[in-house]
Amino acid sequence: MNLNFIPTFLTIVRKQSISAAAESMHVAQTTISQRLNVAEQEFGFKLIERGRGIKKITLTPAGEEFLRLAEQWENIYNDLKILKEKGPKLTLSIGSIDSFNTFYLPSVYKEINKTSSSVLLRSHTLHSNEIYSGIDNKTLDIGFTLIQRSHSNVNVEKCYESDLVVLRSGNVSDSKVDPLALDPLYELFMPWGEEYKIWHEFWWDPLSVQKIKLDDIHLLFDFLQNPTYWAIVPEWIAKKANKSRGFSIQYFTDPPPKYTCYRLTHKNPSLSKSSAIEFFDNQLKKCISMS
């Protein structure tokens, strides 16, 4: 197999079209198509669905699997390039849910950058299934998720907890609120784990309520500019929003389960990865103790 095809394939997938990939790589579209055809003939299976009326790239099942392998190859290639140019480095690939990656991990990353120049960090915002999969196949070294699962290859440890509170714009008269006093029609719903889901469905019927469901914390803040809406968020996020944007915070008279973040690592990391993970964990503990 010609390994030069891998960057071409990744560019096709990321640009979502052969023509856009050709423009990005500064080659003719026919060149990209030829590389793809040669690779598919060599493999004996199709990587990309092609046909009349198909504008965006759609991967075949084999193409999905090849994408996973290609991304692993890209990570290895980049590590080797860094090793050649700058000498030995401790590289960590970290996958996290949006809320933790946006509001908590940046302080850890900053602390690491101040403390050491020999640790290279790759940060990815992912869904929980992707995080477990990435730890399992070692494309991720550390993961942070709200979902606790039993997995043969993955260590799962509780690493952070926070109360969940109500966040809204404007001033509020009471610091505490009964769940039944909140109109679920105007809730901006975000998923905070399985136990939270059970608590939420106890107070509000999921089948009878039309909610706006979000999975991006930045979109949440945009919607909350309208004082009609309200949302349930971790207290540490609410306090940052209160300080920077002037939102109001209310605590529940009957509070939900805590926001609980779990740290994932592979059960059998390499010796070099173990050293980097230990260093990261020390900085994480330091930031948690200061929060």
Side-chain angles (χ1 to χ4, degrees):
M1 172 188 159
N2 184 356
L3 293 178
N4 290 330
F5 170 69
I6 293 179
T8 300
F9 176 76
L10 290 173
T11 304
I12 293 172
V13 174
R14 289 163 183 170
K15 294 296 182 180
Q16 281 292 290
S17 79
I18 291 176
S19 59
E23 182 178 353
S24 174
M25 300 184 74
H26 305 290
V27 298
Q29 183 173 335
T30 53
T31 300
I32 299 293
S33 296
Q34 184 179 23
R35 291 177 185 175
L36 180 59
N37 289 333
V38 169
E40 289 180 332
Q41 290 174 10
E42 183 179 348
F43 295 149
F45 49 74
K46 292 289 184 182
L47 297 171
I48 295 174
E49 299 285 1
R50 295 191 289 284
R52 185 172 298 175
I54 299 177
K55 294 182 179 180
K56 286 191 174 183
I57 291 300
T58 301
L59 296 177
T60 64
E64 293 280 0
E65 182 64 16
F66 184 76
L67 175 61
R68 182 182 67 81
L69 297 173
E71 289 175 335
Q72 290 182 31
W73 176 91
E74 182 182 49
N75 287 336
I76 293 171
Y77 175 81
N78 289 334
D79 287 347
L80 290 173
K81 187 177 179 181
I82 292 169
L83 178 62
K84 180 180 178 181
E85 294 177 354
K86 300 182 179 180
K89 300 283 182 179
L90 297 175
T91 304
L92 282 178
S93 185
I94 300 158
S96 174
I97 53 168
D98 176 62
S99 58
F100 205 69
N101 208 23
T102 301
F103 283 92
Y104 204 90
L105 289 180
S107 60
V108 182
Y109 299 152
K110 289 177 183 177
E111 194 65 31
I112 289 174
N113 285 333
K114 286 194 303 182
T115 306
S116 173
S117 61
S118 63
V119 176
L120 302 177
L121 301 174
R122 294 197 186 99
S123 177
H124 311 274
T125 299
L126 302 167
H127 294 293
S128 292
N129 288 340
E130 296 171 308
I131 296 170
Y132 270 93
S133 177
I135 295 294
D136 181 39
N137 62 36
K138 294 189 176 181
T139 56
L140 295 175
D141 301 306
I142 304 175
F144 295 96
T145 175
L146 302 183
I147 296 177
Q148 183 181 30
R149 291 179 184 160
S150 176
H151 197 291
S152 58
N153 294 323
V154 181
N155 286 315
V156 183
E157 300 176 359
K158 185 185 296 184
C159 76
Y160 187 81
E161 284 187 334
S162 173
D163 290 330
L164 288 165
V165 299
V166 176
L167 187 68
R168 62 205 324 172
S169 62
N171 296 320
V172 294
S173 57
D174 297 317
S175 61
K176 288 200 171 185
V177 61
D178 189 307
L180 292 179
L182 297 168
D183 187 343
L185 184 63
Y186 299 108
E187 179 186 11
L188 302 172
F189 179 83
M190 296 198 74
W192 300 123
E194 292 301 318
E195 290 187 16
Y196 170 75
K197 181 181 177 183
I198 294 171
W199 175 88
H200 193 278
E201 291 180 357
F202 173 82
W203 291 102
W204 301 290
D205 184 354
L207 299 179
S208 63
V209 176
Q210 294 180 341
K211 297 185 295 291
I212 297 176
K213 296 185 178 181
L214 303 171
D215 63 358
D216 187 311
I217 200 74
H218 296 293
L219 285 177
L220 178 71
F221 291 149
D222 289 340
F223 274 102
L224 281 175
Q225 297 296 334
N226 184 334
T228 305
Y229 292 112
W230 58 275
I232 300 174
V233 302
E235 184 181 24
W236 52 277
I237 291 180
K239 287 183 175 179
K240 288 190 176 183
N242 171 264
K243 184 176 181 180
S244 63
R245 299 169 182 255
F247 288 133
S248 295
I249 301 172
Q250 290 180 295
Y251 295 84
F252 284 103
T253 55
D254 195 328
K258 290 180 181 292
Y259 169 102
T260 303
C261 186
Y262 297 93
R263 167 190 166 278
L264 313 182
T265 55
H266 199 278
K267 289 185 177 179
N268 296 300
S270 66
L271 184 61
S272 61
K273 292 296 184 182
S274 295
S275 176
I277 290 170
E278 181 180 2
F279 175 76
F280 181 93
D281 285 344
N282 288 335
Q283 304 310 313
L284 175 64
K285 291 175 184 177
K286 181 178 178 181
C287 290
I288 289 177
S289 65
M290 294 170 60
S291 62

